[in-house]
Amino acid sequence: MKFIFTCIFLFFSVWSLFAQQQAQGWLVYFGNTAIKSSKFSIHHELQLRDYQLGGDHNQTLLRVGLEYAVKPFLTVTGGYGFIYTEAENTPNNPFLEHRIYQEATLKHTVDRFFIRHRFRLEERFIEDRTFRGRGRYSLFMDVPLTKRDLGKGAVYAAVYDEVFLNISKDDNLDVFDRNRLYGGIGYKVAANLGIQLGYMRQNVEKKRATNHVLLSLHHRMKWQ
């Protein structure tokens, strides 16, 4: 128990430090609904992003996809994303993006480490801009801290790193788009429901890195 409180204390100390450096806030919902007894499931996701911890809307992202479990360790997905973006402060100068994506996710375990590799391709149709393509690779790792697994009541550490690469024929775009490095603490409210609080460091192109505080809900359901 002391270990848990120590982890939580250290996390909130880091969170407080970066909040003083104008951290941005993200609220995220990740959902997955299995379709009866088939190998198909539906991914549904909502992200609300803010330039501050609250009060200056940056982006709303909606994503839905159809997943197919090729093997217990391999899932492929095809889906669509809708993104509404505003500029910081005023004027907002909002614009829309429609996105199609395809991805493959591989998962495996090493001792107590639950590891996932996600490969994603995106076709991006951004308002008043030329077509853009992008490739993404993510390495996720969840580590139980209080149990040997990620069952109900488990406290766990969650880390990931994701790199984005532009694959468009646009000389104004660098190949490197961005990188996201994340670390957080999660709690399994139920076997199919987890909540995480984490910190993310994002580097976009050659701009100064930004700090983000993320509160996320991870929910799995079954469509009977």
Side-chain angles (χ1 to χ4, degrees):
M1 185 62 69
K2 288 184 178 180
F3 178 73
I4 298 174
F5 282 116
T6 299
C7 290
I8 294 174
F9 173 77
L10 290 174
F11 175 78
F12 277 101
S13 296
V14 173
W15 180 22
S16 176
L17 172 64
F18 285 102
Q20 295 175 14
Q21 300 180 4
Q22 296 183 337
Q24 301 181 27
W26 289 17
L27 293 174
V28 185
Y29 169 79
F30 295 108
N32 182 277
T33 301
I35 302 176
K36 298 183 179 181
S37 58
S38 73
K39 293 186 177 182
F40 289 96
S41 60
I42 300 172
H43 173 82
H44 33 95
E45 176 182 342
L46 171 64
Q47 298 191 26
L48 301 176
R49 302 172 178 177
D50 203 281
Y51 286 109
Q52 304 173 10
L53 288 180
D56 188 3
H57 178 259
N58 170 14
Q59 196 170 73
T60 295
L61 182 149
L62 292 165
R63 184 182 285 123
V64 62
L66 182 63
E67 299 183 350
Y68 179 75
V70 180
K71 298 286 185 180
F73 58 87
L74 172 62
T75 302
V76 294
T77 307
Y80 165 78
F82 172 81
I83 300 93
Y84 170 86
T85 304
E86 294 182 355
E88 189 172 5
N89 300 316
T90 55
N92 292 328
N93 298 322
F95 63 90
L96 304 178
E97 176 182 349
H98 300 276
R99 187 181 300 174
I100 301 171
Y101 73 97
Q102 307 82 39
E103 70 180 34
T105 302
L106 293 164
K107 61 182 180 180
H108 61 98
T109 59
V110 178
D111 193 25
R112 296 178 64 177
F113 296 80
F114 292 78
I115 300 170
R116 287 174 291 135
H117 306 266
R118 187 180 71 195
F119 304 86
R120 178 181 289 175
L121 287 175
E122 297 177 330
E123 295 80 45
R124 308 176 64 198
F125 303 89
I126 307 173
E127 187 176 4
D128 297 327
R129 300 183 189 180
T130 58
F131 168 79
R132 295 182 180 182
R134 190 164 63 181
R136 299 166 57 167
Y137 166 71
S138 305
L139 173 62
F140 300 91
M141 183 167 59
D142 295 330
V143 186
L145 301 176
T146 57
K147 295 186 175 184
R148 292 290 301 181
D149 58 25
L150 293 171
K152 180 181 178 180
V155 176
Y156 63 98
V159 297
Y160 73 75
D161 186 75
E162 182 171 23
V163 61
F164 297 62
L165 300 176
N166 288 310
I167 53 177
S168 302
K169 296 180 180 179
D170 188 336
D171 295 335
N172 296 318
L173 293 176
D174 293 331
V175 174
F176 173 76
D177 180 71
R178 69 192 63 202
N179 188 83
R180 293 173 178 169
L181 179 62
Y182 169 91
I185 296 293
Y187 175 71
K188 292 302 290 287
V189 180
N192 66 335
L193 179 63
I195 187 169
Q196 285 184 31
L197 184 61
Y199 159 74
M200 182 182 73
R201 181 80 165 176
Q202 179 171 236
N203 292 83
V204 179
E205 299 172 341
K206 299 177 182 179
K207 300 175 184 177
R208 181 180 179 182
T210 52
N211 303 309
H212 306 258
V213 175
L214 278 69
L215 178 62
S216 59
L217 191 68
H218 305 254
H219 191 201
R220 300 185 68 87
M221 297 172 284
K222 190 170 183 178
W223 185 1
Q224 299 293 341

